[in-house]
Amino acid sequence: MKIKALFDDRQFYKSLFLLAIPIILQNLANTLVNTFTTVMIGRIGTIEVAAVGLGNQLFFLFDLCLFGICSGGAIFTAQFWGKKDIAGIRRNMGFTMTLTMAAAIVFTFISITLPGEFIGIYSRDTEVIRAGAAYVKAIAPSFIPYAVSMVFILTLRSVEKVRLAFAATLIFLFFNSILNYIFIYGAGPVPAMGVEGAGIATAAARLIQALILAVMTYYFKYVPAGSLRELTAFNLQFAVKFLRLTLPVIANESLWALGTTIQNIIFARTSTEAIAAFNIANAVWNLVWVFYSGLGNAVAVLIGKKIGENNEKTARDYASRAIHFVPLISVAGALLLFILSRLLPLVFNVNPQTLLSASYMLVILCFAFPFRAFNNSMVIGICRAGGDTVFCVIYDVLIMWTVAIPLAAIASFVFGAPIWVIYLCLASEFFLKSLLGIWRFKSGKWLHNVTL
C-alpha cells in the first residue's frame, strides 16, 4: 500500500486512536506497576531483582493462560457486538468467567504449596530460590481477583467501553505503588519486608481493582452487566463452539508462555547476572511496547466488529492499513528504547556487567522493533479477530521452538557465549516470523465469521 493511500481513510484512524489511547494508557499503567516494582526491588540488589523476576514467571504463566481464554472470548464478544447481540455477549462473558476462575484456583494452589519447587525450575541459586518462594506465596491471593479483572477488562474493551478499565487500572497503579513503598521498605509500624512486601502490595491492589471493575460495570449498566441467569445461559453447544475457537488460543498462549519460561531458564542457568539483565531489559521494553500492544488490541476490536456486521471488505481494508501503519510508526519506539538503554545506570542499583548486558539486549530489540510490531498486528489484531486461531498457534510459536530457543540453548550451554549473543539468538524469531505473517495475510484465509 502506498503512503498516500495508507492515510486516506480518516475515519479508520479516528476510530483506531479513540479506542487505542485508553487501552494504551491502561497497558502503560499495568507496565508501570511492574516497572516500579522492579525499580524498587532493584534498589535492594541483584539477587532480589532475579528473585522477583522469576517469581513473576508464575504470574506471567497465569496471565497468559487468562489472556488465551479471554482473547478467545473477545473474538466472540467483538463479533456479537457488531451484530448487537447483547444476550450473546453476556452468555460468552459468563462462560469465560467460569474458565478463568478454574485457572485461578489451580495457580493459587501451586503458589501456596509449591513456591520453592517452582523457583527451583529456573535457578540453582539458593538465595534466589528462598527469596523467590517468599514472593510467590505473597502474591497467591492476587490470582482470583486478577481473573475477575481480566474478564471485565477484555469484555469492556470489545464493546468499546475502555475508560472504566483504564480508570480501574490507574487506581490499581496508585495503590500498588504506595503499598509497594510501605511494605518493601517499611513505614511507621510496618516493617521492611523486601520481596515479600512487594507480593503483599500487589495482592491487595489487585483486589481493589477487581471490586472497582465489577461494581462500576453494574452501576453504569454497561453491556457486560448481565444477571446471573444471563451469564449462565450457555449450553453444551455454545461451550463446544467456544472451546473449538478458544483452545487454539489457549494452546498458543501456553506454548508461548512455556517458551518464555524456557528463555528465563536459559538465562537463569547461565548466571544470576544474566537473568537479572533479562528482567531489567524486559521491564524497559514493556514500558515502550505498551503503545504498539494497545494498537494491536484496538485493531482487533475494529476488525471483529466489521466481521460481525458482515462487512468483510472493510475488515480486509482495515487489516491492510494496520500491517503497514503499525510497523511504520514503530521506528519512534525503537528510538525511545535506545535512549532508555543509555539511562539504566541512573535507575538500577546492580553491578556494571548486569547493566551492560541489559543495555545490549535493548539495542538488539531496537532493530527487532518493526518486525515485532508487524507480528503483533497480525496475531492479535488480524488473525485472532478473524477467528484464524489455529494458524496463530503455528505463526506464534513454531519458529520460537524450532529455531530461537535451540539456538539460545546451544549458545549458552555448549559455547558459553556472551549474554547478548544468547539474546540475539532468541530475537531471531521476530525476523523469521514476519515471513509467515506476510504469506498468511496475502492468502486472505485469516477471515472467519465465528458467530454464524
Side-chain angles (χ1 to χ4, degrees):
M1 181 177 286
K2 295 180 179 180
I3 294 295
K4 185 177 180 180
L6 179 61
F7 295 102
D8 64 2
D9 187 345
R10 294 184 179 181
Q11 183 58 44
F12 168 73
Y13 293 103
K14 180 181 178 181
S15 300
L16 178 65
F17 283 102
L18 281 175
L19 188 58
I21 288 173
I23 296 175
I24 290 166
L25 292 174
Q26 178 201 335
N27 289 348
L28 178 61
N30 266 326
T31 301
L32 285 173
V33 169
N34 298 328
T35 303
F36 288 167
T37 300
T38 302
V39 170
M40 289 183 186
I41 293 296
R43 306 304 297 178
I44 301 175
T46 301
I47 287 176
E48 287 75 11
V49 171
V52 170
L54 293 179
N56 273 332
Q57 284 304 297
L58 184 61
F59 196 88
F60 171 73
L61 293 173
F62 175 60
D63 189 26
L64 288 182
C65 178
L66 290 191
F67 188 70
I69 296 169
C70 295
S71 291
I75 297 169
F76 282 96
T77 302
Q79 295 193 16
F80 278 136
W81 182 235
K83 293 179 179 296
K84 299 302 178 186
D85 183 353
I86 306 304
I89 292 172
R90 291 173 176 173
R91 179 173 67 248
N92 175 70
M93 179 176 172
F95 190 66
T96 303
M97 186 71 78
T98 302
L99 295 179
T100 59
M101 284 297 101
I105 291 170
V106 171
F107 276 86
T108 301
F109 177 79
I110 293 172
S111 63
I112 292 173
T113 60
L114 301 168
E117 289 80 358
F118 178 80
I119 301 297
I121 295 173
Y122 298 90
S123 178
R124 289 171 287 198
D125 188 319
T126 55
E127 287 299 307
V128 171
I129 293 173
R130 179 195 59 77
Y135 178 75
V136 168
K137 273 192 174 181
I139 63 169
S142 71
F143 291 113
I144 290 176
Y146 184 65
V148 172
S149 296
M150 178 73 89
V151 175
F152 273 98
I153 286 171
L154 289 192
T155 304
L156 287 167
R157 183 181 295 176
S158 296
V159 298
E160 301 177 89
K161 295 291 183 183
V162 292
R163 292 181 181 178
L164 174 57
F166 168 57
T169 304
L170 203 61
I171 293 169
F172 165 66
L173 170 63
F174 172 77
F175 278 102
N176 188 249
S177 300
I178 299 298
L179 294 175
N180 257 343
Y181 183 85
I182 293 171
F183 288 116
I184 291 174
Y185 302 127
V190 180
M193 299 186 210
V195 295
E196 188 177 2
I200 294 171
T202 297
R206 287 291 181 199
L207 179 59
I208 294 170
Q209 181 187 29
L211 288 173
I212 290 170
L213 284 164
V215 171
M216 299 311 291
T217 294
Y218 280 86
Y219 177 80
F220 288 115
K221 297 180 181 179
Y222 287 147
V223 170
S227 65
L228 182 61
R229 176 175 292 183
E230 289 174 308
L231 294 172
T232 57
F234 51 85
N235 53 26
L236 181 61
Q237 182 181 2
F238 177 79
V240 170
K241 189 174 184 179
F242 182 98
L243 292 173
R244 186 183 297 122
L245 183 71
T246 304
L247 284 176
V249 182
I250 298 171
N252 184 173
E253 295 298 332
S254 298
L255 288 170
W256 191 83
L258 183 58
T260 304
T261 297
I262 298 297
Q263 293 175 14
N264 276 271
I265 291 173
I266 290 171
F267 282 112
R269 294 296 175 93
T270 299
S271 68
T272 298
E273 287 74 19
I275 188 60
F278 187 56
N279 288 328
I280 289 170
N282 281 342
V284 177
W285 159 261
N286 288 330
L287 197 60
V288 179
W289 181 245
V290 292
F291 179 80
Y292 302 92
S293 175
L295 283 178
N297 282 286
V299 167
V301 174
L302 294 178
I303 291 176
K305 184 180 178 182
K306 290 301 176 184
I307 295 172
E309 293 172 351
N310 292 318
N311 191 348
E312 292 190 4
K313 183 177 183 299
T314 302
R316 293 185 187 279
D317 178 67
Y318 282 5
S320 179
R321 292 178 188 280
I323 64 165
H324 288 87
F325 175 69
V326 176
L328 181 66
I329 63 171
S330 71
V331 176
L335 291 174
L336 177 57
L337 198 64
F338 179 77
I339 293 170
L340 292 175
S341 73
R342 307 293 95 185
L343 302 178
L344 295 183
L346 302 178
V347 181
F348 294 98
N349 182 32
V350 295
N351 63 62
Q353 184 57 47
T354 298
L355 288 176
L356 184 63
S357 296
S359 179
Y360 285 160
M361 290 178 181
L362 290 174
V363 170
I364 291 170
L365 283 173
C366 289
F367 289 100
F369 215 123
F371 300 93
R372 194 164 183 179
F374 170 84
N375 293 329
N376 182 71
S377 295
M378 277 299 299
V379 173
I380 304 298
I382 296 173
C383 290
R384 283 191 186 167
D388 193 22
T389 55
V390 174
F391 174 75
C392 279
V393 180
I394 300 169
Y395 181 26
D396 214 20
V397 302
L398 177 65
I399 295 173
M400 170 191 274
W401 279 98
T402 60
V403 179
I405 288 176
L407 283 178
I410 292 169
S412 175
F413 304 140
V414 177
F415 295 105
I419 296 170
W420 70 267
V421 173
I422 301 170
Y423 194 76
L424 182 62
C425 292
L426 292 176
S428 64
E429 72 162 298
F430 305 134
F431 307 101
L432 297 174
K433 277 169 64 173
S434 298
L435 300 176
L436 269 179
I438 292 169
W439 169 79
R440 189 61 173 183
F441 177 77
K442 288 185 174 181
S443 75
K445 296 179 180 179
W446 55 268
L447 196 152
H448 310 272
N449 192 328
V450 301
T451 60
L452 294 178

